[in-house]
Amino acid sequence: MNICDDASLLLNDLNTAQREAVAAPETHVLVLAGAGSGKTRVLVHRIAWLLQCQLARANHILAVTFTNRAANEMRDRIQKLLGYNPSGLLTGTFHGIAYYLLRQHWQLAQLPETFQILDSDEQLRLIKRIIKEAKIDDKVFSPKKIQQFINACKEKAQRAQSVVLMSTDRETQAALTVYQFYEQTCQQSGLVDFTELLLKTYELLRDDESLRKHYQTRFKHILVDEFQDTNYLQYEWLKLIAGPAAKLFIVGDDDQSIYSWRGARIENIQLLPVEFKETLLIRLEQNYRSTKMILTAANAVIRNNKNRLGKELWTNGTEGDPLFLYKAHNEINEAEFIVHKIKLLGKDYHNNAILYRTSSQSRVLEEALIDQQIPYRIYGGMRFYERAEIKDVLAYLRLAVYSDDDAAFERIINTPKRGIGERTIEPIRALARQQGISLWRASRLLLADNGFKGRAAKTITEFLHYIESLIEQTHTLLLSDLIKKIIETCGLPDFYLKDNKEEGQRRIENLAELISAARQFEIFNRDEEKPILTFLAHATLDANNDNANETNHVQLMTLHLAKGLEFKRVFLCGLEEGLFPHQNSLDEGNVEEERRLCYVGITRAREQLYLSHAETRYYYGERSYSRASRFIREIPAELIDHIRFNNAPNYQANVKNKNEKFAIGTPVLHHKFGRGIIVDKEGQGEFTRIQVDFSENDCKWIILAYSDIELL
């Protein structure tokens, strides 16, 4: 038995299409992987196949994913499948691999060896500073919009000097001015934002023929996951590193392309077979997640999209329940129905997910869950490394390893409060601008020239001496011990407790967890030559809340956050025209992406799917009628079971009974406005409203169906 005979064992537990993909010849391959079709399995087995068949050595393979979690999972599964760790195999996110390349070639990239990654919040902070220095009115020119402009330019591989303005309005011109100053500041401070990681490596490979050929020779097989989510820069970056010889193995699903609003281009996956000739197209259509009913509904909806490569999901699994559809009176009634159903279905709350189009929909759902004492969690909350207290400590660490880091300097110069205000900081900025140096160096020069007076001189001196002591300790202390030292000596814990004791205690607990994270990092990265730099990069690049505690709670999330997840039971609510599909998408003619989002929502369910819409809903403080979503009409009627909510008839009866009791002249009590007298009444049914004279609080109009007003 030869090597490939041994490798054939890898195919035993795969279906026909998966085997075809894993054992595909050495050509470009596009695997169109439907939801729940085992795409990660195919990627992992393909890499193992290449190694077992000796088609490539480990260091000839590059595997690109979109999240750190996916990259870690891929590495673990490859090792388990092979029985050993393939040394030299490079796997990671686009940004993680770009960071690796820049760290290897920092001199060619014209970066300091200790360059730092600027996260989104710090990038915005720096932009605000530049806006202020350029005397641009930030009330007229939004820093957030300018940040979006800069990142959008970079994603198109456009430097400030190469941007051709399509508009000459003042805001766009101001954004370009800030972009120019922003580039200069980042260059002199050794700062690299997320998009810059990719742009810098793209330019490096584009402009340095020797380096480009080196990596094009090294990487003979390049595998990319979630390809439908790539943007222009990522695709161009990929083409450069692939060159004319590397074989691409692309996995993606054009039916799940839902991130155009953050730069993803569905055209990348649709045009790949055109751009890369002789691309083998393989469809993974067998689904291992959902019932036949759910898949038939998903296929029926997505079939209405015209621009797609096309596939039909199927399963050998059970027929399953029909889709349950509930027509609610309003959003409150919709929430009551969902929570009532969850309660009836038992206490395995973790098997339930409530999905919605916009985050604002969660309010009434949360209130209903709280009312019924059902535990829940809003999925996608603040991540560990995004928390302010973590960023504060890491800023001290960053300044200790690279004192020219202006973003870190700005963040902690007066955190905790040291009495260093804008009047003290502004001369530092002015000198830094004038001489083209960092804020740290400008501070030292001003001190040497007696540029600070009185208390300011003392405080700045103490701050610089403190950072210098940390710089010395970077050479003697372990990473975790250095972080612990910073926490114990920088004054942040007392600062947090002084501000708010309860919140401060929570923050201190998070800082303790940061020390634990650093210790764990040390254990798993014992051979790392520059552990502090790598840990800082890890903290900034980490895009997953992987360590969230698993508890028995209902999960609430937007449809965009649901991608990649699955649940036994899904409640897909708010299926109304203008809400889902969203009005903005309808106005922009982008209903196909909304339909793909619906397809994603439907295919999150394994066993049961509940759909709901409301006849009326509050928008911007006003109640309006809603039409059922077109996506409901696109599901074959025979798949849907219209259900009633037992409390619904009582709801209408209660409204009518309540309305009749509240007559003009009746005294009432409101929980917020106090006692009053009804002076007017209008409307019918759930739209009945009364005008109440609350004396001190004036007259208020109140809708009876949605208030807790009582008769006296």
Side-chain angles (χ1 to χ4, degrees):
M1 181 181 290
N2 59 34
I3 298 291
C4 275
D5 289 332
D6 289 337
S8 66
L9 297 174
L10 295 169
L11 308 179
N12 287 348
D13 58 348
L14 304 178
N15 65 38
T16 302
Q18 290 173 338
R19 283 198 296 272
E20 183 185 358
V22 169
E26 290 188 89
T27 184
H28 300 307
V29 180
L30 171 57
V31 180
L32 204 60
S37 62
K39 66 180 181 64
T40 304
R41 189 184 193 85
V42 166
L43 275 167
V44 168
H45 278 68
R46 175 63 173 180
I47 293 171
W49 176 270
L50 292 172
L51 294 172
Q52 289 283 70
C53 285
Q54 296 186 356
L55 297 173
R57 295 201 299 268
N59 67 328
H60 290 163
I61 298 173
L62 171 64
V64 188
T65 68
F66 264 82
T67 67
N68 291 321
R69 182 175 183 175
N72 292 334
E73 181 187 354
M74 186 181 293
R75 280 190 287 267
D76 290 343
R77 289 173 66 167
I78 290 169
Q79 185 169 347
K80 287 177 183 176
L81 192 61
L82 292 173
Y84 67 91
N85 182 18
S87 178
L89 175 67
L90 184 57
T91 63
T93 63
F94 276 101
H95 295 97
I97 291 168
Y99 170 74
Y100 164 82
L101 294 174
L102 288 182
R103 188 165 161 188
Q104 300 299 311
H105 308 288
W106 54 273
Q107 289 172 307
L108 288 175
Q110 297 182 331
L111 288 170
E113 185 179 9
T114 53
F115 73 87
Q116 294 295 303
I117 302 172
L118 201 63
D119 70 18
S120 182
D121 286 346
E122 289 164 335
Q123 182 190 37
L124 183 60
R125 201 178 177 96
L126 179 56
I127 288 168
K128 287 179 178 177
R129 187 190 113 198
I130 292 169
I131 288 173
K132 186 171 183 179
E133 291 174 352
K135 298 189 177 354
I136 295 172
D137 189 349
D138 61 0
K139 294 183 177 62
V140 178
F141 305 103
S142 163
K144 192 71 177 174
K145 282 189 177 180
I146 292 177
Q147 180 186 36
Q148 291 167 353
F149 171 84
I150 291 172
N151 290 336
C153 288
K154 288 189 175 191
E155 285 176 357
K156 296 172 189 171
Q158 294 178 337
R159 290 294 182 191
Q161 70 269 19
S162 64
V163 173
V164 177
L165 295 182
M166 303 303 292
S167 170
T168 56
D169 63 87
R170 290 176 61 216
E171 185 171 6
T172 308
Q173 290 176 327
L176 182 56
T177 299
V178 174
Y179 186 14
Q180 292 166 341
F181 281 116
Y182 174 80
E183 283 195 314
Q184 294 168 12
T185 303
C186 287
Q187 184 64 37
Q188 78 178 35
S189 300
L191 297 174
V192 178
D193 61 48
F194 278 126
T195 314
E196 182 73 13
L197 285 168
L198 284 168
L199 181 53
K200 203 78 161 173
T201 51
Y202 167 75
E203 292 172 336
L204 195 57
L205 293 167
R206 181 195 64 193
D207 301 336
D208 192 311
E209 183 180 5
S210 174
L211 188 68
R212 182 172 67 251
K213 286 185 176 179
H214 166 75
Y215 283 109
Q216 288 177 349
T217 302
R218 173 181 168 181
F219 297 124
K220 302 184 186 306
H221 291 270
I222 301 176
L223 301 91
V224 186
D225 193 11
E226 301 287 6
F227 195 73
Q228 75 281 348
D229 294 335
T230 54
N231 60 31
Y232 171 83
L233 180 58
Q234 288 164 335
Y235 190 26
E236 294 302 310
W237 180 92
L238 180 69
K239 287 191 290 186
L240 263 185
I241 208 167
K247 302 306 177 186
L248 298 179
F249 190 88
I250 303 299
V251 180
D253 184 2
D254 58 332
D255 288 335
Q256 295 189 74
S257 180
I258 59 174
Y259 298 120
S260 66
W261 47 276
R262 67 184 191 197
R265 292 174 14 122
I266 192 173
E267 299 94 327
N268 290 351
I269 191 170
Q270 291 175 337
L271 297 177
L272 187 81
V274 177
E275 188 151 3
F276 289 86
K277 304 300 182 185
E278 300 179 1
T279 294
L280 178 62
L281 177 61
I282 300 173
R283 291 176 171 85
L284 301 185
E285 298 173 300
Q286 184 174 358
N287 178 281
Y288 293 91
R289 176 188 300 159
S290 306
T291 64
K292 290 180 181 177
M293 284 281 194
I294 291 170
L295 296 180
T296 304
N299 287 330
V301 170
I302 201 63
R303 207 177 288 128
N304 289 276
N305 275 3
K306 307 301 180 188
N307 301 314
R308 56 191 295 258
L309 293 169
K311 64 183 179 309
E312 289 279 314
L313 295 179
W314 60 276
T315 180
N316 282 328
T318 62
E319 191 77 16
D321 294 332
L323 279 65
F324 302 108
L325 176 62
Y326 179 63
K327 180 180 179 180
H329 306 297
N330 52 54
E331 74 277 12
I332 296 174
N333 179 233
E334 179 185 46
E336 288 174 344
F337 157 72
I338 292 171
V339 173
H340 175 76
K341 182 59 65 175
I342 288 172
K343 198 165 188 178
L344 283 180
L345 290 167
K347 292 190 175 181
D348 59 337
Y349 297 131
H350 64 280
N351 282 324
N352 300 282
I354 306 175
L355 310 183
Y356 36 80
R357 178 61 180 82
T358 66
S359 59
S360 61
Q361 291 172 254
S362 73
R363 183 184 61 83
V364 290
L365 294 163
E366 289 185 71
E367 289 176 357
L369 288 162
I370 292 169
D371 183 63
Q372 294 299 313
Q373 298 182 320
I374 294 177
Y376 71 93
R377 173 189 173 218
I378 302 289
Y379 185 86
M382 186 70 75
R383 299 185 181 98
F384 182 76
Y385 290 108
E386 291 176 335
R387 294 169 183 169
E389 60 273 21
I390 302 301
K391 286 188 174 184
D392 288 343
V393 172
L394 292 183
Y396 278 95
L397 188 60
R398 284 169 50 181
L399 208 57
V401 296
Y402 188 58
S403 57
D404 289 334
D405 185 337
D406 281 357
F409 187 98
E410 284 264 9
R411 185 178 187 96
I412 61 173
I413 182 66
N414 200 37
T415 305
K417 301 291 184 186
R418 297 184 176 87
I420 303 175
E422 284 297 309
R423 290 179 61 185
T424 304
I425 298 174
E426 190 50 44
I428 302 175
R429 293 178 183 143
L431 184 61
R433 282 197 306 273
Q434 180 187 340
Q435 297 198 13
I437 58 177
S438 68
L439 298 175
W440 170 270
R441 298 187 188 195
S443 300
R444 291 176 65 90
L445 285 177
L446 283 170
L447 270 180
D449 293 337
N450 296 317
F452 299 112
K453 304 297 180 185
R455 185 184 173 191
K458 179 176 181 294
T459 310
I460 291 289
T461 300
E462 289 174 350
F463 173 73
L464 296 183
H465 283 169
Y466 176 69
I467 298 300
E468 286 166 353
S469 72
L470 295 180
I471 292 171
E472 292 175 5
Q473 291 173 90
T474 61
H475 305 296
T476 58
L477 293 180
L478 291 173
L479 168 66
S480 58
D481 291 335
L482 181 58
I483 289 176
K484 183 179 180 182
K485 187 77 172 179
I486 292 170
I487 292 169
E488 290 174 347
T489 59
C490 70
L492 284 172
D494 290 340
F495 173 63
Y496 296 144
L497 286 171
K498 190 180 298 182
D499 185 48
N500 182 308
K501 189 172 183 179
E502 185 176 341
E503 176 70 6
Q505 191 57 48
R506 184 193 64 78
R507 289 186 167 194
I508 291 170
E509 290 170 1
N510 287 336
L511 295 184
E513 183 60 26
L514 179 62
I515 299 171
S516 300
R519 284 180 178 155
Q520 187 179 45
F521 179 86
E522 288 167 348
I523 292 170
F524 289 101
N525 296 270
R526 288 174 179 163
D527 298 327
E528 178 59 51
E529 291 181 8
K530 300 180 185 299
I532 299 177
L533 287 176
T534 308
F535 180 74
L536 286 169
H538 159 76
T540 310
L541 291 170
D542 193 323
N544 299 291
N545 188 15
D546 294 335
N547 297 319
N549 293 326
E550 289 296 330
T551 57
N552 187 30
H553 47 233
V554 177
Q555 299 208 62
L556 280 71
M557 68 192 75
T558 63
L559 282 153
H560 284 97
L561 287 174
K563 185 172 176 292
L565 304 176
E566 59 179 78
F567 308 93
K568 179 180 179 180
R569 194 177 299 117
V570 167
F571 294 84
L572 181 49
C573 61
L575 279 158
E576 299 140 33
E577 289 291 307
L579 181 57
F580 191 32
H582 198 277
Q583 191 60 48
N584 289 346
S585 294
L586 293 176
D587 293 341
E588 295 166 3
N590 201 13
V591 71
E592 290 211 349
E593 181 154 329
E594 290 289 293
R595 188 173 283 111
R596 293 194 291 269
L597 192 57
C598 183
Y599 173 83
V600 167
I602 292 172
T603 54
R604 297 312 93 194
R606 293 198 301 267
E607 297 179 17
Q608 292 181 317
L609 177 62
Y610 289 82
L611 310 174
S612 61
H613 66 100
E615 291 179 305
T616 70
R617 189 176 294 271
Y618 259 121
Y619 287 110
Y620 299 103
E622 294 185 3
R623 183 162 292 281
S624 60
Y625 284 96
S626 305
R627 285 192 303 123
S629 170
R630 68 190 71 192
F631 302 146
I632 293 176
R633 300 192 295 274
E634 290 170 359
I635 298 172
E638 61 270 19
L639 302 180
I640 295 177
D641 185 2
H642 295 263
I643 57 178
R644 294 180 178 274
F645 177 28
N646 291 335
N647 290 5
N650 296 333
Y651 170 84
Q652 291 287 17
N654 290 339
V655 169
K656 183 178 179 182
N657 187 43
K658 185 176 183 180
N659 291 353
E660 289 174 351
K661 290 180 180 179
F662 286 80
I664 294 175
T666 306
V668 293
L669 176 65
H670 190 275
H671 78 290
K672 181 177 181 181
F673 304 123
R675 295 171 181 267
I677 299 290
I678 299 175
V679 295
D680 199 0
K681 184 177 182 180
E682 63 179 36
Q684 296 180 0
E686 65 174 305
F687 293 103
T688 302
R689 63 177 190 160
I690 57 175
Q691 188 180 38
V692 182
D693 183 357
F694 290 107
S695 298
E696 292 182 4
N697 289 300
D698 302 322
C699 287
K700 307 281 186 186
W701 280 102
I702 295 171
I703 299 176
L704 282 175
Y706 310 110
S707 72
D708 58 357
I709 197 165
E710 301 174 11
L711 294 169
L712 286 175

